[in-house]
Amino acid sequence: MVKLKLLLLAFFIGFSINSWSQNGQVSGVVTDQKKLSVPGVNVVVKGSKKGVSTDIDGKYQINAKSGDIIVFSYTGFQTIEVPYKGEATLNVSLTEENEQLKEVVVVGYGRVKRADLTGSVSSIKAEQLEQANKVDAISAMQGQAAGVVVQRTDNKPGSGGFNIRIRGASSISNSATVSGGGANPGQNPLFIVDGIFVDDISFLNPADISRMDILKDASATAVYGSRGSNGVVIIETKRGKKGDLKVEYSNYVGFKQAYNLPEQWNGPEYVTFLKDVVVGNEFVKPAGNLNYRASDVVLSNYLDAEEMQNVADGISTDWVDLMLKNGFQTNHTLNMSGGTDKTTYGLGLAYTKDEGTIEGEDFNRFNIRGSLKSDLNKWLNLSVSNYITNAIQNTGSWEAFRSAYRLKPIGRPYNADGSLRFFPTTKETQITNPLFEADNQTRETRYLQYIGDIALQIKPIEAFTFTSKFSPNIKYSRYGEYRGLYSKDVVAQPTLRTATVNNANYFSYAWDNIFNYKYNKGDHAVDAMAVISRFMERREGYNNTVKNFTTDAFEFYNLDAGLNITTVASDFSKQTLESYTGRVNYGYKDKYLLTATGRYDGSSILSEKNKWAFFPSAAFAWKMMNENFMQKQDIFTNAKVRLSYGQTGNNGQGGGLGPLSSQSLLGNSAVNIGDSAISTAYLTGLANENLTWEKTTELNLGFDFGFLNNRITGSVDVYNRKNTNIIFFMPLPQTTGFTGTFNNIGESTNKGIEIGLNTVNIDKGDFKWSTNFNFASNKNTLDKLYGGVTEITYGIGGTNLIHRVGESLGSVYDYEFDGIWHLEEATQAAAFGQRPGQVRVTDVNGDGKITTADRKVIGQVSPKWTGGITSTMNYKDFDFSFFLNISQGNMFKSNFHGWSWSDTPTRTFNGFKVDYWTPERQSDDWHQPGNGGTYANAEYYMDVSFIKVGYMTLGYRVPAKILDKLKIASLRIYGTVQNPFVFSKYDGWDPESAGRDQFGGAFMSRTFMTGLNLGF
Amino acid sequence: MKYINYKLIGILLMAGILGTACDSYLEEENKSSKTIQLALSDPKTFDQLVASVYERSRETTTRYEPNVYYQLEDLGTDIVTRGTTISGVSDINDYVDFNPLNWTVSLYWRNQYSIISAANVAIDNADQIQGVVPAVKTAGIGEVKFFRAMSYFNLVENYGGVPLVLNQVTSSTTDYVRATEEAVYTQILKDLEDALAGVNETPTAYGRVTKDAVRHLLSRVLLTKGYKSFGLPADFTSAATLAETVISHHALVSSFASLTSIANQRNSEVFFSYLFGSSAVSRGWGNSRHQLYKFPYYDYPGMIRGNLYQKGLDPLPTLFFYNLFDDNDQRADATFRREILADKAFTATVNGSPVTVNPGGRAIYFPKVAWTPAEIAAVPYKVINPDKYFVVDGVTNAHTPMFKKFDEPGVAFKQPNELSEGTRDMVMMRSGEAYLIAAEAYLKSSNPTTAAARLTTLRARAGLTTPVTAGQVTLDFILDERARELIGEVNRWMDLKRTGKLLERTLLHNPHAAMNNALKEKHLLRPIPQYEIDNTGGSIVQNPGY
């Protein structure tokens, strides 16, 4: 390694430094404020063509004569000019730039200095992603940007299950499912990775991301017109940087542990619980005996001889505990970059492994990237970039977790000879021993994804550039599922062995032709851009399921061995978007900035008459700081006001609107007439050819500030976002024969405030403590429904929801939980047709009975406010940081809790350890087991507010004097705990995914790991 | 010079790109389905639209949706109840808190209107589809009107007057209003007249609707209408006449055992069935009737989740049902089994010593007359006395003699949310019922003698040779006979409602409903699904009392 390094060093020093031995030669070392050497700094004599770069140790040599001015410049640092007075050694210390101002923000088809930004854009930089240190890019976004709410809905390793809402729900979709985390109105934002639209970013290695820019207000997103209304997340992968070869290697390794597990009853507690279920079954009868008690229960009526024996033997199996293991997690990322003035290159390799907390769950990801950018001549530049991901995700069994929570603790996991027992008791013939699942069930997704771009930039004259960029996205994925003989679904019946293979083949491309013109003269600065853009996306899929295999040997690799073909299906669809975009930035005296954007968009999936729409926006910024009067004060070190107004759209795609759905389509199926298969044709849905663009009109007022010599910096944004023509799959009366249709249903408003704050709390000597806060609060109101309707009710995953004028979109609409009927309230309860022990709900209209008119809006599924706090402390070479992710004020129906209390006692599953009602101990939290009553549903709506600690990290930067001997530029070692704590009133597993049921679920986990960041 | 040329090329290139921008780029494709415009040029489209009505009707009959089966047909009646101990409450069976949010009533409504909607699409597009042979068109429209009438009949009996939707819905209309019960009947009769005129007398393929199927449905409808305030005496006589025509065309099979045998499922008596068959493509969900009236037998020693008895759905027949059979009524043995044989060896303790029962030996037995405790203790198998059918025994909560009427050995053990995969024909109409319709119609036309004659013939086939006398014929007699003959085949709830016996007989014989005693007059109509009321903005009005 050292040899190789020396070789590389020798090669690149030779490559980049021209050294002459002449008089007036000056040499020195360039360091940063921490006294660390800075390699790759450009050192030039002003007004000459003499220029060198500092070497790996920050050293340089250059010819200069007294009186010259030597300029030291390097990205991320303030450029300094030093008058040369003839000394032989000139050591220079560079100061880091005020990042907030110099930072370059990606705004879509271009970039702009943050200082010149007129819209509302939050950025997450590589350092933040590195600090967060997550396995996937979306987790790394959580809590990092004000107004970006990320709900993780799936804890399985490698899963892309997230709901992301930027500034609340704009568009609304009811394609949500329980496995998707339940109801959450709104849609995920548009993701653009290196110029191409993607649905999911879990294929990215977070360490390969150079920055994520989140466009929030309509003036920023208008450049993506029809697809911008849910916000846009622009992600750039790391590219080459000018300078010597820079090699960075980082890794981490650790283990993952399940935690925050809801407790279950143990053996003896289960017996008590079972008796209480029997009592509940007596109480539930309209003429039940309310004097019946647990002591009256004859246990042998409900447990068979074997179970009674197990109870007598004190069997108490903790099924969850048996399932758990520590998962291994590791990542290795190698990045290299470098280049000359003309050519830069970057490449990287990465491997990630993430195991779950039960056997069978793991995720392996391999990433390779490479980019090259080169000036072919003075006016022509060519760049290519490739990003390839190969990933294998095993979600393991979808039943094991659920079985572990269902099985009675009085069953035995092992036979007397130590072998695994398939059914824990002889009587149990439904729920199998979950310890069999890992070996008997496979659910494996493999995918190969390629994202690339090739761009040609022509610069015929100085101010004008034309770029033609083609970005393909190709993804092949294969899902294979096999349920072996001893999996729960197969229950040891060979005919039920099932193999499924789904192949999906996705291709999309974006072809952007960008014209750019820059003009600078005197007080005027113009940056104008026009884009012609085309986007095409095509998908095909092939799905096969075959059952009845004589052996488990083939898994899903020999479908022809199965005797019963149950599914053979395929599909194909293609759609396109065509856009014409223009944007003009005009600056006057570097004080007044104006941005105007317009996009004319055509979408193939809307009907002929509504295919095209125009989305304009304008934004104004006033750099107050540059006014004379501001120069005289010393409170503010930065002050800028931004005001924007714009319009974006949504063609309904993210809500499930598919190709050709503006037309009546015939689907085909089959029936049996005359003992042969007869083809049938049916209308697949009710087409709505009047469906048009959903539009979002947004007003944003922002203030960027810096105080106390930028010890406190930040920004505040307030916005008012109005959505009209909201596209919704509107449920229709079933009388129509259709479940619903895509329709423009109404208008809503999102109003909110977002605050981002960076503070340097202490900066004294060796100790520095800085904090980054963000806070966002959004209020959504449905203003109007078209067609004289005042409300639309619908349900998702057992949660009853309503769109009602005056309330927030998708409000939870059900009976309101009001405690449990107590014994002494038997008479009052009876008036409502209820019994003691049952759930009491509010009689909203006070008419003395509970009817559907007593349903009311009882909560909202989107949080009322969210925030994040990152706190970093540095002492000498040590650093410590932690991060809090906060979400408050939302409600979900806890499908996790929806288990079978009222099941008949002989079959009663194990239950969660909760304080339920019994005649002896009259709880107001949970109903009597076996006696929930008609409104037991109401009890499961729960507040899912939480504060999660995202990470706690302690790092140590090995001092340069040690590293110098090892010829290493930088080395940091650290230890971290990921997701160490959660604070929540919610007593289920994970407040973020409370809407999920247990099927396919995975535990919430924390990870302990150590790692290093190494730079050469 | 060269440099300028390149620049020129560059500019031309840009111009070229600009120039290629045009509307034709906005293309979409969806090869998984075709547009109706494209389909109209193909005459086969008509056949497919008609076949789709068969498919929807079949699929929603074999189940309402995965996990919900036949609940509005047999639950909450005198002969079928829920398969649990006599405790707790339930909405459909016990009529406790039966409310508009009930999922099943919403499903049933949706299913019937999905059939109606498919029928409307076929009817409305028939003339636009090119090249359809006129005879095919006439028969096809007749067939779909038969199904439309059947769905409206199901709707009107369950919910009362419902919105009449008779054309393809092309826009998102929501302002539906309920027609009167009488108007719905008028429409049903009109559709059935058209159907009778349109469909073929003999089927072009087995499984197609024939004139006899139409006559049979018409006789059911008229018999039901006869009881209504707007019914006419002629409804009963017409019903009898139609039933007689059907009877004359379809002779009874000689024995009930032969009728229900899987080896003889297509016979002289049956004239309308849904077909499933062995092809996974055309089988759809599969016949689910083999899952009817079976308890979780596999939890008992010696039993496995096999493919001989299969998984049951929840409901079980009442003790009243099992007691309906005379000793020499052959239908009892053809309908259910009192003896369940072991799948695998098991060991039981008899008189203190272990006894091993081999596969094929008796594992569970249901004596018709209760055994004494001593008798029970002397055998190694489980004995369940009639009074213990709904008493928990440490293994299952409820357990009754297992049905075999619809058996299909070999079909895999399936959970109710999985494809049931039954391949047997699902018999929907047979002349056995026509005898009962005729008998009831004669009784209501004050002709008990002929009614008795029809019942005598039907009973004789079951081995009950003593003639029925005119004096014996009552509605209760006919309903008992229907139970013995048709359990699991026809809608019991509608039979009880029609005859005005729902409240009386259910409260008398359904142990769970009797315990809760919540069944009232208002339950003669199901609640209108709240979903319909909510989504029509209230233009559909709820039934009284809900």
Side-chain angles (χ1 to χ4, degrees), chain A residues 10-28:
Chain A
F11 177 73
F12 280 101
I13 289 171
F15 180 68
S16 60
I17 300 179
N18 304 309
S19 35
W20 292 274
S21 268
Q22 282 179 22
N23 285 337
Q25 193 175 66
V26 58
S27 64

Side-chain angles (χ1 to χ4, degrees), chain B residues 236-289:
Chain B
F236 291 119
T237 50
S238 305
T241 310
L242 286 160
E244 292 289 2
T245 310
V246 170
I247 290 168
S248 70
H249 291 165
H250 299 280
L252 292 178
V253 171
S254 59
S255 79
F256 197 77
S258 159
L259 175 77
T260 58
S261 161
I262 192 167
N264 186 34
Q265 47 178 328
R266 298 196 185 159
N267 50 52
S268 59
E269 186 171 337
V270 172
F271 53 87
F272 182 55
S273 308
Y274 291 122
L275 312 190
F276 295 89
S278 54
S279 151
V281 174
S282 57
R283 186 171 61 221
W285 186 262
N287 190 342
S288 62
R289 273 193 184 156

